[in-house]
Amino acid sequence: MSPAFLVGLILLLPLVGAAFSGLGGLFFPGLRRYKVLLGTLATLAVAVPFGLTLQLFATYSGEPLVTRFFTWMAAGSLELAFQYRIDELSLVMTLIVTGVGALIHLYSIGYMYEDRGYWKYFSYLNLFIFMMLNLVLADNLTLLFLGWEGVGLCSYLLIGFWYEDFKNSEAANKAFIVNRVGDAAFLLAMFLLFREAGSLDFGTLLADPSALPTGVVSVAVLLLFIGATGKSAQIPLFVWLPDAMAGPTPVSALIHAATMVTSGLYLFARISPLALATPDVLVVVALVGALTALMAATIALTQYDIKKVLAYSTVSQLGYMFMAAGVGAFFVSIFHVLTHAFFKACLFLGSGSVIHAMHHVEHALHKRGHHGHLDPQDMRTMGGLGRFMPATRTTYLVATLAIAGFPLTAGFFSKDEILFKAFEYGYNGHTYAWIVWGLGVVTALLTAFYMMRSYVLTFEGAPRWPMADQVHPHESPPTMTVPLWVLAALSLVGGFVGLPSVIAHGEWNLIHHYLGASNGGPVAEPALHAHVPLALEWLLIGLGAAIALIGLYWSWSAYRRYGLAYDEMLRARLGAFYRIWAAKYYWDELYDRMVVQPLLRFARYGLAAFDQKVIDGAVNGVARLMTELGQRVRQVQTGVVQAYAVAIVLGVALVLMFMLFG
Amino acid sequence: MEITLNWYLALGVVLFTLGVLGVLFRRNAIVILMSVELMLNAVNLTLVALSQAMGDVSGQVLVFFVIAVAAAEAAVGLAIVIALFRKKVTVDVGAFNLFKY
Amino acid sequence: MIAQLLFFLLAVTAIAAALGMLIARNPVSSALWLVLNLFCIAGLYLTLQATFLGVIQVLIYAGAIMVLFLFVIMLLNLEALPHPRDIDWGKVFAFVVVMLVLAQLVYVVALGLNVLPTFSTTPEQAALTGSAQALGRELLTRYIMPLQVIGILLLAATIGAVMLAKRRFV
C-alpha cells in the first residue's frame, strides 16, 4: 500500500464513520438502538487510522511526503489544493490525535451509553477527528485553516450537545464566537502572507524566511499568534475554555485537553522557520504564555468543580507550551503537547468516571427519598471515593503526579525541558526569558499544589455526600477503566522519549532528534552559543524535582489533615488575592461590559432598526408600489366596449405612425 | 378639375372617420352598428374606386363578399341587441359593463 | 363638367348624411340618414361605371339591411337617450385620437396625389369591368369557393340570429 493511499485512508475513515453514524442515525432511526455497534465502528474508524499511522511512522524515510488529491480552488495566481504532508511533525501529531482519540472513543462507549443522542455523539466525534487530521496533515495554510474551523465547529456541536439546557448552548456559542475573533486574525495573516509570498503552501512559505520583508513576517506571525490564543485558550481569548466544560467529559478530554487546544502549538511548530525570524513577536508569545500559565494556576486553586480545576489546569499547561515556543524551543512545546495529552486526558477521563459514579449516587439518593440537589461535579460533596473506585483513583493519582512533575514521570521531563530551555535562552542574552523562567517555576509549584488538592478532596478523606453510609458509588466498567490504565501507563513512561541533555549530551533525546531542524527535522531551532554548564543543569533538574515534591507534599498533608477547611484557611490568609482568583480575575465581567453589551446595544438599536425601517421598508415599499400600480392600472378595464374601441383606434393610429414615419 | 382617384379615396377616408366617430361616441347600440355599416361602406367605396382605376374586377368581387358579410353581421348583431334588451330594457352600451374591474 | 358636378353633389350629400346620422337624437332619424348615405354611395358607384354593384348596393344594403335595422328599432320602441352632463375627458381623448387617424389617412392619400393622376382605364373599359357579366364570370370561376362559403356563412348567420333573438334560448 503506497503512502499516498494510506494517507487517504487515514483521512477518510473517520469521515466515513461520521457519515455512517450521522446520516445513518438520521435517516434510519432504527439504527440508533444498536449502540454497541455504533460505538465500536466509530472507535475502529479512529483506531485503524492509528494503526496505519504507525505503519507510516515505521516506514518513514526521512523525506517529507506530499500527497495531492485534488484542486480545491484556482483563481488568478492562487491555487489551493487538498494537499497533505507527511513529515516527522505531522506524524507525531497524527499519532497523538488518532491514538488518544481512539482511547477516548472506547471510553465513550461506556460513558455515553445511557444518552439518547448516542449516535449523534459518535458522528460528531468522528467528524472532529477528521477535521483535526486535516489540520495536522495539511500542506498549506488554507487547508490547515479548514481543519481549524472544522474542529471549532465540532467543538461547538459537542459543547452544546445537551442543548436542551440553554446554558450549554450559551457555552457553545461563547466558544465559537471567541474563536471567531482569533480566526479573523488568522485570515488576515493568510491574506498578508499570500500577498507577500504569492503562495500559501508550506513548501514555499517556509523554504526561505529571509525572502519576505521582516515587517510583514512579524505582523503575520503576530496575527497567527492571536489566532492561536483563541484556539489554544491564552490571554485574551481563553474565556471559552472553562465554560466548555458544559460538554460531555470525554469531549473535554479529547478536544479541550489533548488535541484541539494544541492546534495553536502545532501551528507554531509548523511555521517555526518564520517565527524564529521575528524575535520580537516571540517575546510577546513567551510572556503571554507565562502570564496565562500563572493566572490560570491561581484560579484553579479556588475552584470546586472538578472539571473547572482541570480546565484551568489545561489553560495553564498550554501557557507552558507557549513559553517553550516563545524561547524558540518549538519541539519542546510539541513534547509537552505529547505528555500533556497523556496525563490530561487521563485526568479528564478519570474525572468523568467520578462524575459518572456521582450521577449514580444522585439517582440512588432520589430513590431513597432524598431530594436535595447534588452536583456530581462538585468536589465538596465528594471525598473518600478511592475506597470505592480503586482503578480510577490510582490512575488519577498517577496522572496528578505526572502533571505536577514528579521525578521520572512524563510531565517531569517535558516541563523541566521547558524551564531549562527558558533558562538557556536567558543564558544566551535574552533577558525576558529569565522572567519567563521565574514565572514558570512559581506556576509549577502552584500546579503541584492544586492538582494534589483536587485528588485529595475527591478520593481521600471521609465521604461528604448525604447518606454516605448507605449509598455508595461503584467503579466504572472496563470500557472506561482500560483507557484510564493505558493513559496512566503512558503518563509514567511517555517522558522517556525526551531525556534531557544532561544524559549523554542529549544523545537520548529522541524527540529532539526526530523533530529538530538541527537533525534534519521540520521544526526550526535557534542558534545558541552559550551553553549552560553541566552542574547548573543538574541543579535546575533538582530544583524542578524539589518544587514538585514540595508542592505535592504540602497539598497532600494540608488537605488530608483539614479537608475542605483548608480552603477556608487559605481564604483567610490570602484575603483579597483569593477573592480575585475565585472571581477568575473578573475577565468575563470585563468582556461583558466592554464588548458584549455595546455590541448588543448596537445590534438592537442600530442594526435592528435599520433592518426594520430601511430594508423591510424598501421591500414592503416595493410590494406596496406594485399594489398601488395595480389599483391604478386596473381602472382601464371599464367594462364598456367603447373604451376598448378607443384603444383599438389608438393602436391603429400608432401603427400608422410607425408605418409612415418609422 | 379632373376627378382623379384620390378624390374617391379622400371621400372614403372621411366617411370612414365619421363611422369611427360614431362607434366611439354614440351610446345607442343600434346606432353603433349603423356606424359600423358606414365604415364598411367607406371601405367598399375605396375598393371599387381602386378596382375600376386598375381594371381588375377582383376588387369588386371582394366588395360583393363584404356586402354579404355585412348583412350577416348586422343580422346577428341586432339579434344580440334584442337579447340584451330583453334583459336590461335598454340599448345604452354604458349599461353593459359586467367586465368592469 | 357634369361628371364633376355629379361627384361633388353626391360626395357632399354622402358626408352630410353621415353627419346627420351621427348627430340625430332619434334612432329612426339616424337610420334614415344612413339610408340616404347608402343611396349616395350607390350613385358614386355608378359614376365609377360599377353598374352591378351600384344596383346591388341599393337592393341589398339600402333595401334589406337598413330595413332590418328599422324593424329592430321599431320593435324595441326606443327613445332618445339623454345628453351627458359634464365633459368626459375620455371622450376628448378619443376625439383627438380619431382626428389623428384622419390626419394620417389624409396624409397617405395626399402622398399618392401624383401616383395615379388619372384612371388608367377608359370609361368604356371600366364599364366592362364593372358589368354584371364580368363580375359573374369571376365569381363563378375564380372565386367559386368563397362564394360557397359565403352561402354557408349566411345560413349560419340566419340560424344564429333566430336562436339569439328567441324568447327562450333553445
Side-chain angles (χ1 to χ4, degrees):
Chain A
M1 286 204 265
S2 71
F5 182 69
L6 285 178
V7 171
L9 214 56
I10 290 170
L11 283 162
L12 279 178
L13 280 173
L15 184 62
V16 168
F20 177 74
S21 304
L23 297 173
L26 185 64
F27 293 115
F28 304 104
L31 185 62
R32 302 180 198 175
R33 276 183 286 118
Y34 296 94
K35 290 190 176 177
V36 177
L37 175 72
L38 285 172
T40 316
L41 284 176
T43 310
L44 283 174
V46 182
V48 169
F50 177 68
L52 297 175
T53 315
L54 275 176
Q55 181 175 345
L56 275 175
F57 182 76
T59 60
Y60 184 62
S61 64
E63 275 301 306
L65 179 74
V66 175
T67 319
R68 183 200 179 95
F69 286 112
F70 53 91
T71 311
W72 183 358
M73 52 177 133
S77 58
L78 174 68
E79 219 231 311
L80 296 170
F82 279 96
Q83 194 166 297
Y84 298 98
R85 166 183 282 257
I86 300 285
D87 63 10
E88 294 89 342
L89 181 58
S90 61
L91 276 175
V92 168
M93 290 303 294
T94 311
L95 282 172
I96 297 174
V97 170
T98 50
V100 177
L103 285 171
I104 293 178
H105 275 74
L106 178 64
Y107 181 92
S108 303
I109 298 179
Y111 190 81
M112 298 294 290
Y113 196 77
E114 282 136 36
D115 199 293
R116 251 183 39 206
Y118 193 82
W119 57 282
K120 258 194 301 176
Y121 174 85
F122 277 105
S123 176
Y124 293 156
L125 215 60
N126 271 0
L127 186 67
F128 168 81
I129 298 283
F130 170 71
M131 290 295 177
M132 191 71 204
L133 287 174
N134 265 287
L135 204 163
V136 297
L137 287 169
D139 191 42
N140 59 56
L141 259 179
T142 334
L143 188 55
L144 194 151
F145 190 62
L146 173 81
W148 186 274
E149 294 277 34
V151 296
L153 169 72
C154 296
S155 172
Y156 166 83
L157 289 171
L158 285 163
I159 295 173
F161 188 68
W162 293 309
Y163 56 86
E164 278 123 358
D165 185 350
F166 194 63
K167 282 202 296 297
N168 300 335
S169 301
E170 284 181 325
N173 279 348
K174 186 173 181 181
F176 199 83
I177 293 172
V178 173
N179 262 269
R180 217 68 194 98
V181 176
D183 295 346
F186 197 119
L187 276 169
L188 286 175
M190 277 205 288
F191 297 153
L192 192 62
L193 284 171
F194 178 68
R195 198 185 67 171
E196 293 299 321
S199 161
L200 289 170
D201 287 341
F202 288 133
T204 327
L205 273 177
L206 305 173
D208 188 9
S210 55
L212 299 165
T214 26
V216 168
V217 177
S218 298
V219 174
V221 173
L222 184 62
L223 286 169
L224 285 174
F225 177 60
I226 296 173
T229 59
K231 196 62 86 183
S232 301
Q234 298 295 293
I235 292 172
L237 297 174
F238 69 94
V239 289
W240 63 273
L241 189 56
D243 285 51
M245 296 298 112
T249 311
V251 168
S252 307
L254 180 61
I255 299 185
H256 307 124
T259 46
M260 183 180 96
V261 292
T262 57
S263 314
L265 278 313
Y266 165 75
L267 176 69
F268 261 81
R270 180 56 80 192
I271 62 164
S272 47
L274 282 177
L276 277 176
T278 64
D280 298 325
V281 177
L282 286 181
V283 174
V284 175
V285 171
L287 286 175
V288 167
L291 287 169
T292 310
L294 183 60
M295 178 201 77
T298 54
I299 299 176
L301 203 52
T302 64
Q303 297 297 306
Y304 288 112
D305 184 330
I306 191 172
K307 284 183 73 172
K308 287 268 172 34
V309 173
L310 295 176
Y312 283 107
S313 166
T314 305
V315 174
S316 180
Q317 295 300 309
L318 289 168
Y320 266 109
M321 297 178 213
F322 277 105
M323 280 198 271
V327 296
F330 298 101
F331 77 90
V332 181
S333 67
I334 299 294
F335 183 28
H336 200 56
V337 166
L338 178 70
T339 58
H340 179 261
F342 296 148
F343 53 68
K344 193 45 72 60
C346 185
L347 284 168
F348 263 111
L349 293 184
S351 75
S353 180
V354 166
I355 294 167
H356 204 81
M358 293 309 290
H359 258 300
H360 285 281
V361 166
E362 191 183 7
H363 279 272
L365 284 173
H366 279 293
K367 276 217 275 271
R368 280 160 203 259
H370 177 96
H371 289 291
H373 178 70
L374 182 77
D375 182 1
Q377 295 177 205
D378 195 334
M379 291 193 289
R380 288 173 288 194
T381 51
M382 294 184 197
L385 289 177
R387 216 176 313 138
F388 306 107
M389 310 175 68
T392 310
R393 173 249 216 119
T394 316
T395 52
Y396 196 94
L397 182 61
V398 168
T400 305
L401 293 178
I403 194 175
F406 190 88
L408 299 186
T409 57
F412 169 71
F413 287 113
S414 61
K415 192 182 296 190
D416 259 33
E417 193 72 12
I418 294 175
L419 292 173
F420 175 68
K421 284 294 177 192
F423 191 87
E424 190 184 49
Y425 211 65
Y427 206 77
N428 269 272
H430 303 96
T431 333
Y432 75 95
W434 295 119
I435 305 174
V436 169
W437 179 84
L439 291 171
V441 168
V442 174
T443 311
L445 183 65
L446 287 172
T447 308
F449 187 84
Y450 70 71
M451 281 312 301
M452 181 52 79
R453 165 180 177 264
S454 78
Y455 169 77
V456 172
L457 285 179
T458 310
F459 293 100
E460 300 285 336
R464 290 185 291 273
W465 61 87
M467 298 170 50
D469 43 340
Q470 298 162 38
V471 175
H472 298 153
H474 27 249
E475 183 60 89
S476 302
T479 51
M480 286 167 70
T481 54
V482 165
L484 285 175
W485 284 116
V486 173
L487 288 167
L490 287 168
S491 305
L492 278 179
V493 305
F496 288 103
V497 298
L499 289 174
S501 47
V502 284
I503 312 286
H505 301 288
E507 276 305 306
W508 286 8
N509 193 338
L510 299 168
I511 201 162
H512 184 200
H513 281 255
Y514 198 61
L515 293 175
S518 53
N519 300 315
V523 181
E525 293 170 64
L528 296 169
H529 305 291
H531 287 279
V532 179
L534 203 61
L536 197 50
E537 279 193 57
W538 276 112
L539 194 65
L540 289 169
I541 293 177
L543 178 65
I547 287 173
L549 291 168
I550 292 171
L552 286 168
Y553 181 72
W554 179 12
S555 182
W556 165 268
S557 54
Y559 282 96
R560 283 230 46 205
R561 203 156 142 216
Y562 298 108
L564 277 174
Y566 195 71
D567 278 336
E568 299 307 313
M569 294 163 70
L570 279 179
R571 202 188 298 262
R573 229 84 50 89
L574 295 168
F577 284 113
Y578 195 90
R579 256 182 298 127
I580 294 177
W581 297 342
K584 303 175 243 160
Y585 290 80
Y586 299 105
W587 273 101
D588 284 317
E589 288 77 1
L590 180 73
Y591 280 149
D592 191 58
R593 252 309 194 79
M594 292 196 55
V595 178
V596 176
Q597 292 307 324
L599 217 62
L600 284 177
R601 254 199 306 264
F602 177 58
R604 195 169 297 140
Y605 300 115
L607 295 176
F610 180 76
D611 184 53
Q612 278 164 356
K613 302 240 170 60
V614 177
I615 301 201
D616 279 0
V619 172
N620 290 343
V622 169
R624 230 165 351 110
L625 181 71
M626 288 300 134
T627 317
E628 289 293 308
L629 217 62
Q631 295 278 55
R632 300 289 146 77
V633 169
R634 76 170 180 157
Q635 287 174 348
V636 171
Q637 306 286 342
T638 55
V640 176
V641 166
Q642 284 177 317
Y644 302 151
V646 172
I648 294 175
V649 176
L650 180 64
V652 168
L654 289 172
V655 171
L656 275 174
M657 189 79 74
F658 189 70
M659 283 173 69
L660 287 175
F661 305 113
Chain B
M1 86 194 74
E2 185 87 33
I3 303 295
T4 57
L5 175 63
N6 301 294
W7 288 98
Y8 285 97
L9 295 182
L11 178 63
V13 164
V14 173
L15 289 176
F16 182 83
T17 310
L18 287 172
V20 172
L21 281 171
V23 168
L24 294 185
F25 284 96
R26 289 299 302 250
R27 288 172 61 188
N28 192 323
I30 298 179
V31 175
I32 290 177
L33 282 167
M34 289 198 289
S35 303
V36 172
E37 298 299 325
L38 181 59
M39 284 160 75
L40 285 166
N41 268 292
V43 169
N44 285 351
L45 180 63
T46 309
L47 276 168
V48 168
L50 281 165
S51 162
Q52 289 297 72
M54 301 202 304
D56 188 357
V57 81
S58 307
Q60 293 178 52
V61 172
L62 184 55
V63 170
F64 188 84
F65 289 141
V66 169
I67 292 176
V69 171
E73 165 249 322
V76 175
L78 286 168
I80 292 175
V81 170
I82 292 177
L84 283 173
F85 184 81
R86 285 233 171 82
K87 199 74 166 78
K88 279 216 168 187
V89 197
T90 179
V91 290
D92 179 359
V93 292
F96 302 109
N97 60 354
L98 282 175
F99 276 152
K100 186 172 170 164
Y101 62 81
Chain C
M1 170 75 191
I2 297 186
Q4 285 111 318
L5 192 64
L6 209 53
F7 172 80
F8 274 112
L9 195 65
L10 285 170
V12 168
T13 315
I15 292 176
L19 277 168
M21 183 205 86
L22 282 183
I23 293 172
R25 301 260 92 230
N26 195 335
V28 176
S29 310
S30 280
L32 291 173
W33 280 113
L34 186 60
V35 171
L36 178 59
N37 186 56
L38 293 173
F39 270 108
C40 292
I41 294 198
L44 284 165
Y45 287 167
L46 288 174
T47 63
L48 282 166
Q49 315 291 334
T51 46
F52 182 64
L53 277 176
V55 175
I56 290 291
Q57 170 92 344
V58 173
L59 278 180
I60 307 297
Y61 235 123
I65 295 175
M66 289 321 296
V67 170
L68 177 62
F69 269 101
L70 280 164
F71 267 153
V72 173
I73 292 170
M74 300 206 180
L75 179 68
L76 298 182
N77 199 12
L78 294 172
E79 289 157 9
L81 292 171
H83 275 287
R85 288 300 142 107
D86 34 34
I87 301 176
D88 188 353
W89 288 104
K91 292 225 185 288
V92 171
F93 174 71
F95 187 74
V96 167
V97 172
V98 175
M99 286 301 111
L100 182 65
V101 174
L102 173 65
Q104 286 169 327
L105 289 171
V106 167
Y107 181 72
V108 170
V109 171
L111 266 183
L113 215 51
N114 294 316
V115 174
L116 289 167
T118 53
F119 281 74
S120 56
T121 56
T122 61
E124 289 75 21
Q125 286 171 316
L128 274 178
T129 322
S131 66
Q133 256 177 320
L135 216 64
R137 188 173 44 243
E138 289 300 306
L139 268 177
L140 291 168
T141 51
R142 267 176 75 191
Y143 298 102
I144 187 79
M145 263 302 286
L147 191 64
Q148 304 305 317
V149 173
I150 282 286
I152 298 175
L153 174 79
L154 288 169
L155 178 64
T158 311
I159 298 173
V162 167
M163 292 196 65
L164 279 170
K166 272 172 82 112
R167 239 173 238 286
R168 217 176 263 155
F169 196 74
V170 169

